[in-house]
Amino acid sequence: MTRSISRREAALGFLAVAGTLAVGCGGPGGSGSRRSDTGPSPSAAPTIGSEPVTLKAYFETGFPMARALTDEFTRQFPNVTWDIREDQFAVITQNAPRVLADDPPDLMRLPQVSELVGDGLLLNLDGYAEVFGWDGWPPSQLEQLRVGDGGRPRGEGSLYAMGLNFSMTGVFYNRTLAERIGMASPPATLAEFDELLASAKDAGIVPIVQFNGGATGGFAFPLQNLMAAYGEPGPINDWIFQKPDVTIDTPSNLSAVRHLQEWIEAGYFDPDANAMEYAQMMSTFMAGDALLMFNGDWESGNLDGEMPGEVGFFLMPPAEEGGPVATMSAPLTYGISANAAHPDEAAFFLHWASTDERAREIVVEVGGSHPMGPPDAHMPEVAEDSVTGQTLAAGARIAEDDGAMDFIANATGSVYAKGWTPQLQRLFAGDQNPEGLLAAVQREYEIEAGS
């Protein structure tokens, strides 16, 4: 029997992790003045106070965690109300420069941030980081939110965004179907993973359901997991962060694309993948019509609620048993407009979301992922065999192995829409080869990054 999807429409939230749905940005409007690149320099951590204040927010539709947090914030601080606008992430990505310039929200879900910083549209948060103590958190939490002068490189420089949680991706599996083909434990190597896919196909089970339709190429998820199995995460992050003289067209990444092509040619994906949107992928998986799905921990709470005890999760195994693991893992990114009316209150909210006990519980229970914040901050108890428990444990493993990567779609504002998505769709259709795919994506990247 098909289950309904209670928390998702067609949007992809990644990693945003995420996952970003980058579809090409219009130029920023011209009416807004810009703050200094240095940002505010408060002498003490801002507070909310008691005067009425309305915070304007721009959120991603289909993901309830942000609204759950704002509801709880107002419960704790009744003088604060919210004016919230929501759109699909693809729309936010396209409109971000103009919205930040012409109708600046106090708090906004962000796409790739380099261009926004380069255009002076985001508030520098260094002053808040100092007074709130964010600089004392594990540096890896904030690395992907730092941007150099002029918008590049990412991964270093000033802080221009914060996360409401720290998401990661991996492989969800249907426990009933896994038992049917004799999967007693997750695969320990890439070769064992291949054997699992072959066993599922031989049993008449769709091995992998993965969206790859429209403007959002979901095959970037299995591809980047394969990149992690074949190579180190460092060079991929360097490419995403626009470090000098970088390329995605490397021997290890070529091996990953070739491996993905082998899966396609073996019939391991749903045959309608190129016509499948994110919501349809979720429906198919939740109906029990596929063994595996590459996705992120933002679905953990949803799957725990809709399929209790029926879903497992594991990280993509390395090429050789016992090797380090890596995956896409990034903060769910939010920023404050350079022209925000209430920047202090927005910064206080971001700090509260990472440090307040109830807020952290909401991040785990609703968002299904690890909160930002200091390592000794409150963590709610979670059943180890729940999907949320498994994804949290996997996140700890990634931290131990220093295996966090940003999403390859985040390298520039439009490389997902103009590079990865069409090339991955062509690969699935048999109209592109691995060498051509990487070369085409690199060309688009160089156009976007101006290198």
Side-chain angles (χ1 to χ4, degrees):
M1 180 176 68
T2 302
R3 296 175 174 84
S4 63
I5 298 177
S6 63
R7 301 203 304 129
R8 296 292 184 269
E9 298 300 328
L12 167 64
F14 185 85
L15 306 144
V17 156
T20 50
L21 305 179
V23 295
C25 300
S31 64
S33 61
R34 297 177 181 174
R35 294 179 182 265
S36 165
D37 287 342
T38 59
S41 299
S43 58
T47 61
I48 288 298
S50 58
E51 294 297 317
V53 60
T54 298
L55 293 178
K56 182 186 290 187
Y58 192 11
F59 292 161
E60 179 181 4
T61 191
F63 293 79
M65 187 185 72
R67 275 190 176 266
L69 287 169
T70 58
D71 289 345
E72 175 61 22
F73 192 78
T74 295
R75 189 189 71 78
Q76 294 187 24
F77 302 97
N79 59 309
V80 178
T81 55
W82 294 84
D83 176 10
I84 298 175
R85 171 185 175 185
E86 290 189 343
D87 271 323
Q88 299 286 350
F89 199 69
V91 176
I92 293 176
T93 302
Q94 187 173 16
N95 293 340
R98 187 167 288 110
V99 169
L100 285 165
D102 295 342
D103 187 23
D106 298 301
L107 191 69
M108 182 173 177
R109 173 76 169 99
L110 294 177
Q112 203 274 351
V113 299
S114 295
E115 287 89 342
L116 302 178
V117 171
D119 287 337
L121 297 173
L122 292 179
L123 189 64
N124 185 313
L125 304 183
D126 283 348
Y128 294 127
E130 182 177 354
V131 296
F132 281 121
W134 300 342
D135 288 341
W137 298 358
S140 60
Q141 289 191 21
L142 304 179
E143 179 184 26
Q144 298 176 35
L145 308 173
R146 296 189 179 278
V147 184
D149 293 340
R152 68 184 58 155
R154 286 179 57 217
E156 59 187 60
S158 291
L159 189 70
Y160 280 94
M162 275 291 288
L164 290 188
N165 60 354
F166 207 88
S167 290
M168 55 160 287
T169 66
V171 187
F172 293 91
Y173 66 95
N174 182 299
R175 285 177 163 170
T176 299
L177 298 181
E179 184 178 352
R180 186 188 303 175
I181 61 172
M183 175 184 161
S185 61
T189 64
L190 184 55
E192 290 183 10
F193 193 96
D194 288 342
E195 293 172 3
L196 180 67
L197 298 177
S199 296
K201 189 171 188 296
D202 290 345
I205 299 168
V206 175
I208 307 171
V209 60
Q210 197 69 31
F211 77 103
N212 203 44
T216 56
F219 272 38
F221 279 49
L223 175 57
Q224 191 165 351
N225 274 267
L226 284 165
M227 288 177 173
Y230 275 104
E232 297 292 326
I236 296 173
N237 273 332
D238 288 346
W239 184 80
I240 297 167
F241 292 166
Q242 298 185 23
K243 297 291 180 68
D245 303 319
V246 291
T247 181
I248 198 67
D249 192 357
T250 65
S252 63
N253 291 339
L254 180 59
S255 295
V257 183
R258 286 172 173 166
H259 206 117
L260 179 64
Q261 184 183 47
E262 291 173 3
W263 286 356
I264 293 170
E265 293 175 346
Y268 290 159
F269 291 98
D270 187 296
D272 294 327
N274 264 4
M276 184 176 291
E277 301 286 351
Y278 182 85
Q280 185 181 353
M281 173 188 72
M282 288 300 302
S283 294
T284 301
F285 182 78
M286 294 169 73
D289 292 336
L291 174 65
L292 304 177
M293 171 182 67
F294 288 85
N295 209 337
D297 57 5
W298 53 83
E299 290 292 358
S300 298
N302 184 32
L303 294 170
D304 275 330
E306 297 293 324
M307 304 176 68
E310 298 180 40
V311 178
F313 178 88
F314 61 88
L315 294 167
M316 186 71 178
E320 300 197 10
E321 188 169 2
V325 293
T327 193
M328 300 109 82
S329 180
L332 185 65
T333 307
Y334 283 76
I336 301 173
S337 168
N339 296 297
H342 304 288
D344 284 358
E345 290 84 352
F348 181 92
F349 171 80
L350 291 171
H351 181 70
W352 169 89
S354 298
T355 57
D356 178 79
E357 286 194 6
R358 180 56 194 145
R360 291 175 64 87
E361 290 170 357
I362 290 171
V363 169
V364 173
E365 295 166 2
V366 180
S369 54
H370 202 290
M372 302 282 285
D376 59 349
H378 167 74
M379 279 292 291
E381 292 187 8
V382 177
E384 291 184 6
D385 62 347
S386 66
V387 183
T388 300
Q390 293 173 74
T391 54
L392 289 175
R397 170 75 189 279
I398 289 296
E400 290 173 3
D401 286 6
D402 193 24
M405 295 182 288
D406 202 347
F407 188 29
I408 52 176
N410 290 350
T412 71
S414 297
V415 74
Y416 195 14
K418 297 180 180 180
W420 290 116
T421 293
Q423 297 304 322
L424 287 167
Q425 289 170 344
R426 290 184 62 199
L427 185 74
F428 185 76
D431 296 331
Q432 181 59 286
N433 59 43
E435 293 82 359
L437 182 149
L438 289 176
V441 170
Q442 181 64 22
R443 284 195 299 271
E444 181 59 36
Y445 173 88
E446 291 173 0
I447 293 170
E448 294 274 331
S451 57

